[in-house]
Each structure stands twice: as structure tokens, then as C-alpha cells.
Amino acid sequence: MIFALVITAIIASFYFAYPISSIANNEEKTFVTHSGAVIRTTGDVLDPVYLPQTVEIDPAKYLREFNYGRVSTLADGTTLREFTIIARDDQIMEISPGVFYNVWTFNGTVPGPTIRATEGDLIRVHFVNEGSKQHTIHFHGIHAAEMDGVFEIVGSGGGQFTYEFVAGPAGVHPYHCHVMPLEEHIAHGLYGAYIVDPKQPRAPADEMVMVLNGFDTDFDTENNFYAANTIPFYYQHHPIKIEQGKLIRIYVLNILEFDQINNFHLHGNLYYYYPTGTSSVPWTYTDMITLSQGERGIMEFTYDYPGKYLFHAHKTEFAEKGWTGLFLVEGKY
């Protein structure tokens, strides 16, 4: 018996010290990073069941990019805005240097495109599900029950559904997949922002969208990375340039899964905050707001002095794991 145990221990030590070739010689995979670098790796890719199709997320582009749809005018004078949104769940993204994650995307990005319209416009969204799982789109706002994206499950492999509703109320709203288990679909990236402008336009401003999100890369229902617009620390390494004295308007949306709250702190300044953006009167003048999942609003501020200013989660863990950025305020020329 003792001899058998000794032999087993020796074999085990050789196995771990000199892994068999099928394990040691993992197949190399090629990825294009968010910085544009092409790398090869034999490291494990999370969710390897999916095809290793890479997707590039550009937080600089997403920040100020608004999708107004294909615009036409109906016979009664109503503005029609048509959008096509395609869901996929087989793509791999490098969300942090060397960390690859299976993202589920709307139109190939996380977050999905920022849809924008004006109160009273007719919104028509052509949804195509090219994923391997069932998906939907649930828009926050006012619409008929059959357009709610909860019970109208869209099948995998090319299933289609058309959502149609009148844009309203004014403000900023989330949209996201609403198929159970809901936390799985949101945590992987199926969400975006939907902005409805009031009929009486807001004052001109430098406008931005920040979707506060995170990623659980080891699947223990605790996030390993946090960010504004997906890539941790992106806006710290690529400060957002703004003009001294110019009105800044940020549409902020918290979609973070697995954490009960998130927050947004601005350095060297205070902002007027409009919860959900449905009122033209600010609720408070502050330098920090706290948001639960799905909460959102509009922040407005100007900087009087040039220089670099931090913005970040005042939840220290979130800030130190990626939810940190910089505004670079440039003087007037």
C-alpha cells in the first residue's frame, strides 16, 4: 500500500513539473488589442466555447457619438427615425492589457450605440439576433406593452423583431436585453443609452455619454474591472479635452451589475444634476452623485480654470480598478 502511494506521488510530481504536450503546447490565438497592437497568446481565453472573434471598443469615439437613425417624414409630418440593432454573443475583447473576455454586443460595441431622438418622433428599431442565445431589447420610457422587450423573445441565429414607439419622455434612458437570466445578459454587455431631447432644445453644450459599467472576468459574481465606457483607466491615459468656460453636458447612466451602487465624483468643480433628465430644473448642485443600477441623469458644468482634473467613482475600490478619468481643460485661444 505504501509502495503504491509512493509511486503515485512520483508520477503526480512529474505530471505537474512536465505537463503532457497537449497541455503544454496550447494552440496560439491572435488578437488585436484596443490600442491597435496585434499579439499572439497561448493563454486561456475566457468562455472558450465561443469563436475567438475580436471586437474593438473605442471609448474616445463612443464618448461623443450619437446615432440619430435613418430620418424620414411621414404624411402627417411626424419625424420617423429608423435604427437597425444587431445582437451577437460570440466576440472576444481585450478589456484590459492581457485580459480577454467574451462580450455580448449590440452593433459590435459595449455599450451599444447611443440612440437619440426628439420628443414626439416615431422610433422604429429593426432588431436582428445573430447570437447563439435568445435576446431582446427593453427600452426604458413610455410605450405599449407589446413593445416592452420582455415577453417577445427573439430567437437565435437570425431571429428578428421590430420595436416601434413614440420617443418620450425627454431625458436619458437605458436600453438592455431582458432575457433571463438577466444578470448574465447585462454583465456581458447587452446595454446602451437612449437619449430623448425635449421639443424645446437644451442650451448648446459640449455633450458626452458615460455609461458606468464593469466586468466579472472570473465568473464569481464580483466585478474585477470597473470603467466609464468599458475600458478601465482609458480616460486617465487619454484625458478628455474640454474648453475653459464652455458648458459641458454629460449623459450619465449606471448599468453596473453585481454591485448595488456606483457614483460619480468631479474634482475642482461642482455640477448641476438633473435626475433622469426629465425636468428642466436641476435637482442639486454637487460634486458627487450615487446611482443604483439603471439610474441615470444629466450633469452640467463649466471649468473656470485650465488644467487636469480627475473624475472617478468615490467608491475607492471601483476607482482603483479602472473607474477613473481626467478632464484636460484647455484655455481659450
Side-chain angles (χ1 to χ4, degrees):
M1 180 67 179
I2 296 175
F3 177 77
L5 291 175
V6 170
I7 293 299
T8 301
I10 293 172
I11 292 173
S13 66
F14 273 97
Y15 177 85
F16 288 109
Y18 305 100
I20 59 178
S21 60
S22 62
I23 296 176
N25 296 321
N26 289 334
E27 179 185 355
E28 281 197 336
K29 300 175 179 67
T30 301
F31 294 94
V32 179
T33 72
H34 64 264
S35 62
V38 177
I39 64 171
R40 297 184 65 83
T41 177
T42 57
D44 289 336
V45 177
L46 298 176
D47 279 359
V49 68
Y50 295 100
L51 298 175
Q53 300 178 33
T54 59
V55 57
E56 183 176 358
I57 306 298
D58 186 350
K61 180 179 178 182
Y62 180 85
L63 187 69
R64 293 183 172 99
E65 185 172 70
F66 304 98
N67 188 337
Y68 291 89
R70 299 179 297 278
V71 183
S72 60
T73 303
L74 302 179
D76 63 359
T78 300
T79 297
L80 169 65
R81 297 186 185 273
E82 295 187 80
F83 304 85
T84 298
I85 294 184
I86 300 172
R88 292 181 60 181
D89 49 36
D90 63 347
Q91 294 166 285
I92 300 293
M93 180 183 70
E94 186 184 21
I95 60 171
S96 188
V99 179
F100 298 92
Y101 185 73
N102 168 220
V103 290
W104 300 4
T105 64
F106 285 135
N107 286 7
T109 65
V110 178
T114 299
I115 294 173
R116 192 159 186 175
T118 300
E119 273 186 303
D121 291 350
L122 182 62
I123 304 295
R124 186 176 294 160
V125 178
H126 304 283
F127 176 55
V128 182
N129 179 12
E130 292 186 353
S132 62
K133 297 176 179 288
Q134 296 178 329
H135 297 298
T136 67
I137 306 179
H138 166 63
F139 290 89
H140 287 222
I142 299 172
H143 46 249
E146 61 269 22
M147 294 295 151
D148 203 35
V150 176
F151 305 111
E152 310 77 34
I153 303 300
V154 182
S156 60
Q160 299 185 27
F161 188 87
T162 299
Y163 299 94
E164 188 169 296
F165 49 89
V166 176
V172 54
H173 313 287
Y175 68 86
H176 56 84
C177 184
H178 213 293
V179 172
M180 302 297 285
L182 191 56
E183 71 175 22
E184 178 185 32
H185 291 248
I186 291 180
H188 276 275
L190 287 176
Y191 47 76
Y194 159 49
I195 297 172
V196 180
D197 294 314
K199 292 183 179 179
Q200 182 64 39
R202 303 181 194 275
D206 181 0
E207 296 190 326
M208 311 173 194
V209 176
M210 290 193 189
V211 177
L212 312 184
N213 55 356
F215 294 96
D216 169 23
T217 57
D218 56 9
F219 309 106
D220 63 355
T221 68
E222 293 185 7
N223 290 305
N224 304 88
F225 299 94
Y226 299 87
N229 299 340
T230 299
I231 304 298
F233 297 112
Y234 183 89
Y235 298 120
Q236 178 173 319
H237 299 302
H238 305 82
I240 300 170
K241 294 181 180 181
I242 61 178
E243 184 180 322
Q244 178 185 355
K246 186 170 186 176
L247 178 64
I248 306 299
R249 179 177 297 123
I250 300 178
Y251 299 90
V252 59
L253 162 63
N254 177 42
I255 200 67
L256 185 65
E257 191 62 73
F258 304 127
D259 287 283
Q260 294 183 359
I261 63 168
N262 203 340
N263 44 39
F264 193 122
H265 170 49
L266 184 65
H267 276 227
N269 209 344
L270 278 78
Y271 50 83
Y272 290 100
Y273 183 67
Y274 305 77
T276 311
T278 50
S279 172
S280 60
V281 179
W283 171 65
T284 188
Y285 184 53
T286 183
D287 62 3
M288 197 193 81
I289 52 169
T290 296
L291 306 165
S292 65
Q293 190 194 59
E295 279 196 286
R296 67 278 188 189
I298 299 175
M299 303 164 49
E300 291 185 343
F301 57 92
T302 60
Y303 268 101
D304 295 332
Y305 308 104
K308 288 184 179 180
Y309 297 90
L310 274 171
F311 62 91
H312 59 87
H314 215 282
K315 178 77 168 70
T316 305
E317 177 192 3
F318 297 2
E320 292 181 347
K321 291 181 178 179
W323 176 182
T324 300
L326 282 168
F327 285 119
L328 175 58
V329 182
E330 299 180 322
K332 295 179 181 179
Y333 299 104

